[in-house]
Amino acid sequence: VGECLALMTGLVGLVQHQSLPHLPLGADKVLLTLHQPGNIELWDRADPMAAFWDISGQVTYSIALKLFSRKTSNPIELLKWLKQILNNRTQFLKKHENEAHQGSSWKVSQQMYTMLETVLLLFLRNTNVEAVQLAMSCFKFLCSEAELVTSPTEPSDIPYAPNLRAYALLDEASKSLQIGRAAQQRKIRSILRELVHTPGSALAWEDTYSSWRVTKSLLIGFQREELPPPDLLRFGTDSFPRHIIKRVGPTREQQLSEDQLQSTLLNWSNMTGFLCSLAGVSTKPSSLLFSSSSASNIDGGDLSLAGSASSQRDSFQLMKQLKRTSSLHTSRPKSVALLNPGRSDSSCASAPIVGNR
């Protein structure tokens, strides 16, 4: 198991490697082959389910973290690849349906589920219609896996379980014919209003809010003489209402092109709608804030949302850490979603999550 895990961890590092963008390494194809249901059983013949939760959980988490940290040259292609991995995971769990629930409560599984939920939600505010449609279709596998790993005699320990109905609606909406960007966003926002506070949805809101503040500063800066950093203006190429462009446009024509201003405004508009739709997840439910006997608890330690006073303090401290982190900051921790409030940032960012049950 250790050798198999080391191999796949190395392959994950080579998937869309930013330092070698033109070198066809083929690491993604190898990982897909290794994740075929028949090959997963060979990871550890003695205990294939334990190997599946340890190794596949680590691989899936690491790829989702690449997308969350924007450490990829082609996020849409990487999301397509992640969708295939999720499909292979679902097929394997269906094959071992009677044992599927045995590892879903492990720490590595909890972290993977939280990161997947966050990444897919963040893609819903993308200005690319294809990327949004792709993310919507990925929620199918989150719903399927949650159903497979939930024991019929025990409460679900899937972190995003309270939002399964909304995610099923997103998957259903993705099956319809592609529509315009505005209509697509309206449909998504009507569904997102049903979401409740989970670790993944809360992180998606916090990350979007950090990006929204940076973009707002850029738009305000357009009225001044200084030139905002160009690397922060690559948000798309679609048009935006001209009367708004004139109102917030630069005072000098040579500062920014109209396309850059239009795409920045469009991205800011999508983030604003996303934040408004998800406003309900930005704070904890009252039962968690004021009740010391809440039953909302996620086994696995770091992602606990228990109603006890200590758990409330830990969660509030975690949210404070997230508020200080922007998706456009180069100093972002590698695992900002999973920082342990009881340890320092640096130790948590580098701590392995493999084998934690």
Side-chain angles (χ1 to χ4, degrees), residues 108-120:
V108 61
S109 304
Q110 297 290 299
Q111 293 176 334
M112 175 198 66
Y113 286 138
T114 295
M115 187 56 65
L116 282 174
E117 182 184 19
T118 299
V119 166
L120 294 182

Side-chain angles (χ1 to χ4, degrees), residues 11-12 14-17 27-28 31-32 59-60 62-86 119-120 123 134 138:
L11 290 173
V12 168
L14 295 176
V15 173
Q16 290 197 6
H17 199 291
D28 51 349
L31 282 170
L32 279 177
V59 170
T60 307
S62 299
I63 293 299
L65 187 61
K66 275 179 177 281
L67 290 167
F68 177 71
S69 304
R70 284 72 170 175
K71 294 181 179 179
T72 172
S73 56
N74 194 334
I76 296 180
E77 289 301 318
L78 188 58
L79 182 60
K80 290 179 180 179
W81 180 87
L82 179 60
K83 181 179 178 179
Q84 293 179 277
I85 289 289
L86 294 177
V119 166
L120 294 182
F123 263 95
L134 178 61
C138 287

